[in-house]
């Protein structure tokens, strides 16, 4: 019954999307049929397009957002949810609500095929029913990525099965990210009644793995009788993720908290049912009750199996204007893209921060195309190499780094939380004006030595529960190169 209801909803959305009916308030549409803009995926770039596409542009279009999930998770807040520092709902944007508010139609469906020659996509409606086809005029993909897999026992040998116990081990993949938070809660609920130590293993030493190990440590040591967290990472240091100094600070924090570290060795094979994994290089077998697989991003298989788009190692190849190479009317953004040979291999990395920065470029370029402006009016995405990196340590503190400087404390977490919440607020309907209005306009006017002292002050002796003073120093560093250089050298002299 409910499946039937959902299916008829899909039909209704499709009918609306395809109805090129001019409204009386839209004179231009009476002479020109409206074109169909289809956004596939509610990723970090697309939600900005939904919220920011100018009204004048939308009048030329019928706009549809298709996602296989009703809500879009914001990765920046996920570790804080896992740590129990913020409610789960804060990490989500409700896509149907956002779409409706901005005159987009929302279709809950999984796209399975793109044919750029015939300008069609195929999709499976979420409520069930047969695959359907939709013809687009302009298409954009922001569908994220999936977790890079580790071989499981069924395909490999060399791992002795662990004796079966009453507790069924959990294996949690970090992507899709929206499933992660619920899966952690399920494990926690199942493990609460255990008398023996719960062994949690996080595989992957990238930013997600490190933050999750710290978040799980903070949460499960509170809620379970006995819990031991292990982080397995092929990287010996975390320099690739955070730079050397911040990477060392992350390792020191993990050690201080008693997280067991197995660094410099990857996972070779997992026995999912038995709750055991084997490390590479004849490393030891490690038993787990919960394994969190944070081994980085891999492209969705359907992109190579069922699209005619150009791909590089499975990622959709785009130019810096975010148009898919060889097409004029297909865009793509976020984790799912590769810039081919434009930048060095693997740059930019698969991180939400780049999808966020691509959003305004994508929105501008879709508008440019709709308005029929010259291709040179398109904007170009330039991925930044240095940005403020803020890592939540799960206990209400954080590690931050920028320009090679590392700073720690509760103010770092509060700053991170403020930035993440303010981002989410842009997509809340209605907005929380208190959050949106709170900003730091004043720039620090002290000396570089004072600025360095503020950033490195132990915890919060200077600013109580605030982070505004520290943020004003960071802002001045962004703008004033001389100040920045002096401040960085003050820090070097001091250490
Ligand atoms: C635990 C964790 C923490 C992280 N923390 C950070 C961080 O602090 N900072 C950072 O920069 N990065 C972080 N990342 C990485 C970040 O999550 C990703 O880089 C980011 O989410 C990519 O954004 P996106 O816009 O490409 O896609 P996503 O945000 O993944 O969105 C993709 C959307 O497409 C939809 N979709 C997918 N396939 C289909 C389909 N076939 N049909 C219809 N819809 C589809 C999905 O439902 C989803 O709505 C973290 C990752 C993890 C796992």
């Amino acid at each position: 019954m409910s499946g039937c209801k959902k299916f008829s909803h899909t039909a209704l959305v499709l009918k609306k999307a395809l109805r090129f009916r001019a409204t009386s308030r839209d004179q231009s549409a009476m002479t020109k049929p409206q074109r169909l803009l289809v956004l596939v995926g509610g990723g970090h770039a697309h939600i900005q397009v939904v919220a920011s596409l100018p009204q004048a542009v939308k009048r030329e279009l019928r706009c549809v957002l298709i996602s296989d999930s009703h809500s879009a998770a914001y990765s920046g807040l996920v570790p804080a949810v896992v740590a129990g520092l913020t409610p789960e709902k804060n990490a989500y944007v409700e896509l149907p609500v956002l779409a409706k508010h901005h005159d987009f139609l929302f279709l809950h469906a999984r796209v399975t095929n793109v044919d750029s020659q015939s300008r069609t996509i195929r999709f499976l409606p979420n409520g069930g029913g047969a695959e359907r086809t939709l013809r687009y005029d302009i298409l954009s993909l922001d569908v994220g990525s999936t977790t890079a897999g580790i071989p499981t026992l069924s395909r490999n040998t060399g791992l002795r099965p662990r004796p079966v116990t009453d507790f069924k081990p959990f294996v949690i993949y970090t992507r899709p990210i929206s499933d992660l938070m619920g899966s952690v809660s399920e494990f926690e609920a199942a493990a609460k009644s255990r008398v023996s130590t719960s062994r949690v293993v996080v595989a992957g030493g990238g930013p997600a793995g490190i933050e999750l190990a710290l978040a799980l440590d903070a949460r499960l040591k509170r809620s379970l009788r006995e819990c031991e967290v292990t982080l397995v990472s092929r990287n010996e240091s975390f320099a690739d993720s955070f730079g050397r100094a911040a990477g060392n600070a992350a390792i020191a924090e993990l050690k201080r908290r008693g997280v067991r570290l197995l660094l410099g060795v990857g996972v070779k094979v997992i026995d999912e049912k038995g709750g055991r994994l084997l490390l590479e290089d004849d490393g030891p077998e490690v038993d787990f009750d919960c394994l969190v697989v944070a081994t980085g991003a891999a492209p969705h298989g359907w992109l190579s199996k069922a699209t005619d788009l150009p791909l590089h190692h499975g990622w959709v190849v785009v130019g810096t204007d975010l148009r898919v190479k060889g097409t004029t009317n297909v865009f793509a953004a976020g984790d799912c893209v590769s810039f081919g040979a434009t930048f060095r291999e693997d740059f930019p990395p698969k991180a939400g921060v780049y999808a966020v920065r691509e959003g305004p470029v994508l929105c501008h370029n879709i508008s440019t195309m709709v308005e029929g402006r010259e291709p040179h009016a398109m904007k170009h995405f330039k991925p930044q190499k240095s940005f403020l990196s803020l890592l939540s340590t799960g206990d209400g503190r954080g590690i931050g780094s920028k320009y090679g400087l590392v700073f720690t404390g509760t103010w770092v977490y509060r700053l991170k939380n403020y930035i993440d919440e303010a981002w989410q607020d842009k997509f809340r309907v209605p907005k929380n004006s208190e959050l949106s209005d709170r900003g730091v306009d004043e720039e620090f006017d002290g000396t570089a030595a004072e600025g360095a002292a503020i950033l490195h002050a132990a915890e919060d002796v200077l600013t109580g529960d605030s982070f505004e003073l520290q943020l004003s120093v960071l802002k001045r560093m962004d703008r004033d190169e001389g100040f920045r250089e002096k401040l960085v050298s003050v820090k070097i002299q001091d250490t």
Side-chain angles (χ1 to χ4, degrees):
M1 181 66 186
S2 66
C4 176
K5 217 168 151 189
K6 278 183 189 158
F7 182 67
S8 61
H9 174 73
T10 304
L12 193 72
V13 170
L14 266 182
K15 219 166 125 189
K16 276 191 188 170
L18 295 168
R19 199 175 51 201
F20 298 140
R21 186 170 58 88
T23 59
S24 55
R25 70 183 165 92
D26 184 355
Q27 292 304 314
S28 64
M30 292 178 85
T31 49
K32 221 168 33 170
Q34 286 171 303
R35 284 168 285 170
L36 188 64
L37 167 68
V38 177
L39 305 184
V40 179
H44 297 44
H46 273 178
I47 55 173
Q48 296 178 77
V49 176
V50 173
S52 312
L53 202 64
Q55 209 57 38
V57 173
K58 281 193 281 194
R59 258 182 241 127
E60 305 280 322
L61 297 167
R62 289 240 156 219
C63 304
V64 182
L65 171 66
I66 305 181
S67 174
D68 60 359
S69 167
H70 258 126
S71 48
Y74 177 52
S75 51
L77 279 168
V78 170
V81 173
V82 170
L85 293 171
T86 196
E88 188 170 341
K89 67 173 174 40
N90 286 6
Y92 289 114
V93 171
E94 290 309 318
L95 294 174
V97 178
L98 181 76
K100 189 168 180 221
H101 190 72
H102 293 283
D103 303 324
F104 272 68
L105 294 166
F106 178 75
L107 193 56
H108 192 192
R110 183 160 60 83
V111 171
T112 53
N113 176 291
V114 176
D115 184 345
S116 66
Q117 292 302 310
S118 64
R119 300 188 167 199
T120 55
I121 58 166
R122 288 215 302 273
F123 64 88
L124 280 166
N126 206 266
E131 207 171 47
R132 314 197 66 174
T133 302
L134 181 63
R135 192 171 190 288
Y136 61 81
D137 295 294
I138 302 169
L139 176 71
S140 180
L141 303 175
D142 179 14
V143 291
S145 54
T146 179
T147 311
I150 299 175
T152 51
L153 191 60
S154 56
R155 280 184 276 140
N156 288 269
T157 51
L159 189 57
R160 282 181 296 113
R162 193 178 76 147
V164 177
T165 63
D166 284 349
F167 191 81
K168 191 169 161 286
F170 281 66
V171 178
I172 300 174
Y173 288 84
T174 46
R175 289 177 166 93
I177 201 166
S178 40
D179 294 349
L180 170 68
M181 296 171 276
S183 304
V184 169
S185 300
E186 278 172 35
F187 165 71
E188 185 181 43
K192 262 187 180 153
S193 56
R194 301 189 79 208
V195 181
S196 49
T197 304
S198 294
R199 291 149 306 175
V200 176
V201 177
V202 178
I210 295 165
E211 270 194 311
L212 285 175
L214 289 164
L216 289 163
D217 175 79
R219 171 168 168 173
L220 299 176
K221 281 189 179 156
R222 269 196 320 262
S223 63
L224 303 185
R225 208 167 297 181
E226 291 283 342
C227 179
E228 173 191 287
V229 178
T230 302
L231 177 65
V232 182
S233 167
R234 193 177 276 146
N235 306 332
E236 202 125 12
S237 83
F238 299 143
D240 282 353
S241 305
F242 301 116
R244 184 170 307 197
N248 288 343
I251 290 179
E253 178 64 14
L254 286 156
K255 285 185 177 162
R256 187 183 74 78
R257 298 268 289 277
V259 173
R260 181 178 163 220
L261 295 175
L262 296 172
L263 303 183
V265 61
V267 177
K268 187 176 173 189
V269 60
I270 306 171
D271 173 5
E272 292 197 352
K273 285 202 185 99
R276 176 171 280 185
L277 55 83
L278 179 66
L279 298 179
E280 292 167 341
D281 304 329
D282 298 323
E285 291 173 1
V286 180
D287 290 346
F288 61 83
D289 300 299
C290 177
L291 172 67
V292 177
V293 185
T295 40
H300 290 295
W302 68 273
L303 291 172
S304 51
K305 285 192 201 109
T307 74
D308 61 354
L309 304 175
L311 302 175
H312 179 68
H313 300 309
W315 309 106
V316 179
V317 182
V318 292
T320 50
D321 60 1
L322 302 178
R323 264 193 299 186
V324 174
K325 288 282 180 186
T327 73
T328 53
N329 61 338
V330 183
F331 293 86
D335 274 8
C336 70
V337 305
S338 160
F339 290 89
T342 310
F343 306 112
R344 68 174 161 73
E345 188 76 20
D346 295 334
F347 187 79
K350 304 298 174 195
V353 64
Y354 295 104
V356 165
R357 297 286 172 110
E358 285 163 6
V361 176
L362 183 63
C363 190
H364 175 91
N365 290 352
I366 289 174
S367 303
T368 301
M369 169 169 286
V370 173
E371 288 164 346
R373 282 185 276 147
E374 294 296 317
H376 68 249
M378 295 245 177
K379 282 191 177 162
H380 291 270
F381 173 63
K382 293 187 201 83
Q384 77 276 32
K385 291 203 174 91
S386 155
F387 49 82
L388 176 64
S389 162
L390 299 169
L391 178 144
S392 157
T393 51
D395 56 354
R397 294 160 56 255
I399 300 172
S401 65
K402 191 157 187 190
Y403 305 119
L405 286 185
V406 180
F407 25 87
T408 57
T410 49
W411 73 264
V412 179
Y413 173 70
R414 279 195 296 271
L415 172 60
K416 175 173 169 50
N417 190 251
Y418 161 72
I419 292 172
D420 291 339
E421 285 284 348
W423 161 263
Q424 285 294 82
D425 196 45
K426 291 186 194 173
F427 309 105
R428 284 186 187 125
V429 181
K431 288 190 201 324
N432 170 357
S433 56
E434 212 179 282
L435 246 185
S436 317
D437 293 347
R438 189 174 163 196
V440 180
D441 297 329
E442 277 175 38
E443 199 177 78
F444 180 69
D445 61 1
T447 65
E450 286 163 350
I454 286 166
L455 289 185
H456 294 294
E459 296 292 320
D460 306 302
V461 285
L462 280 165
T463 50
D465 65 354
S466 166
F467 53 79
E468 273 86 354
L469 186 58
Q470 289 93 337
L471 184 55
S472 71
V473 176
L474 289 167
K475 284 200 163 174
R476 168 116 180 249
M477 287 174 79
D478 275 344
R479 190 194 53 78
D480 182 344
E481 206 175 319
F483 174 79
R484 179 169 77 228
E485 277 172 12
K486 273 193 209 146
L487 193 152
V488 172
S489 71
V490 169
K491 187 238 163 196
I492 290 166
Q493 282 162 17
D494 282 350
T495 50

